[in-house]
Amino acid sequence: MSPFRWLTAGKGTQPTLTLAVLFALLPLIAAARISPKNKGVNWAVLVAGSSGWSNYRHQSDICHAYHIMHARGIPDERIIVMMYDDIANNLLNPYPGRIFNQPNGSDVYAGVPKDYTGKEITPALFLAVLQGNEQAVKGIGSGKVVKSGPNDRIFVNLDDHGAPGLLGFPHGELMADEFAAVVTSMHKAGKYKEIMIYIETCYSGSMFEELYPSSLKVYGLSASSPLESSWATYCDILNGVCLGDEFSVNWMHDTEANDPTTETLKTQFENTKRLTKGSRVMQWGDTSIDVQVVATFFGPTSSAPKNYSTIHTQETSIPVHEVPLVMLERELKSATNEFEKKTKAKEITALIQRRAFVHTTMKNIALVVTGDEKLTEEMMVRKDTHITNWSCYNPVVHAFSENCFNLGQSTYALTTVHTLLHLCEAGYSRSDIINSMNIVCTFLTIENAI
């Protein structure tokens, strides 16, 4: 006899279930009680890995990203924000206590939790937070870490300066293979269901290239290919800075203009790629994840769509490495008296000289190693960035940053780092390359070669 047998006690009596039916339903009742836990939750780790007024846009992007995550329903206890926090109250800020990510936009700084700030912003701290290592962050900042489980999804947004295979934090470099190794260990430990990583840096594609097999369940977007600069945007509002970065502004505008419960990640990628004119936005990792809707990672709450002018974004965009020079040239052009003109002209000359010194220094390092002028010139010019010899590349990058130019502060120096990569890939030993730095970089480590 089937357990789903209806019993009646007479006319007008409500149907009841047999005892067998109740026993059959018990597993379903139990499953319903635990389903919210098994469904998993969303986490977001938002990192602006730079400092200084000229890098306004990185913290602006991250503050905006926070408001999107918060508005979409991810609670603050599961959003972790890392930024130097030296922009809102900077003496150069004409709007004290406020930060804007677009012209005529709202203040994106208001309400943002500053979990880790200042010198706490290091690659080691970021990786500790991501792995949920509470002991490593004890006594630092808010102490918040990602406490994710096997059913949780994590969104990581990194906004910074970069070079092949690295992001330049103010104090230290985040190397692509080390980042990928941490994610791999998290996957093995069952600390997530899926991770989505958006990276806004120059050469950001190199942070993914050949490092994330689909088995890791990692989906990523890079602002640029492994071979090119990313672009800053809204560079005509505040003197000396850009309000945002083109890729970041575009993916966030797309998120706010559409329903996250119906728009897929693939559509967001296609829209962002189409709108980003300065660099080539690329997908990485397990791209099958892009069939899921945006709400899968950003939270399910919908809000009234916002409309933005893409024309204005494109017209005010500049290659990231050219921002300091372009801004000074604009200030020179708008100078109203001879004193201002002479001051800005001197600043431009000094910047060009610093850049020439960076270039000459890297050339001399390579020349000491190779002993070949022609080969050195070729290495300086070549832009291919395929990395295989991480055991050489990582230590020479760190040595260059410690002994020659701090890569987190001397952003122009990042444009020469590919030369170190070519030396490693050509088979020169890391000890010879580091020794050449000791010979060439006899000056104190330079912090501001922008």
Side-chain angles (χ1 to χ4, degrees), residues 191-239:
K191 290 189 174 183
Y192 66 86
K193 181 180 179 69
E194 293 165 337
I195 290 184
M196 184 165 74
I197 305 170
Y198 283 10
I199 300 183
E200 173 72 72
T201 68
C202 297
Y203 313 102
S204 48
S206 66
M207 292 297 293
F208 294 100
E209 195 172 29
E210 297 186 1
L211 293 171
Y212 293 96
S214 59
S215 59
L216 287 181
K217 308 306 292 181
V218 173
Y219 170 75
L221 292 188
S222 63
S224 62
S225 76
L227 305 173
E228 63 184 344
S229 171
S230 58
W231 284 50
T233 194
Y234 296 140
C235 300
D236 62 343
I237 310 300
L238 291 178
N239 284 339

Side-chain angles (χ1 to χ4, degrees), residues 160-169 172-177 199 201-204 206-207 387 390 393-394 397-398 407-408 414 417:
D160 198 358
H161 289 287
L166 70 93
L167 272 66
F169 279 57
E173 298 76 47
L174 176 65
M175 306 304 295
D177 65 323
I199 300 183
T201 68
C202 297
Y203 313 102
S204 48
S206 66
M207 292 297 293
I387 307 170
W390 292 99
Y393 185 55
N394 287 9
V397 164
H398 295 320
L407 292 173
L414 288 164
V417 168

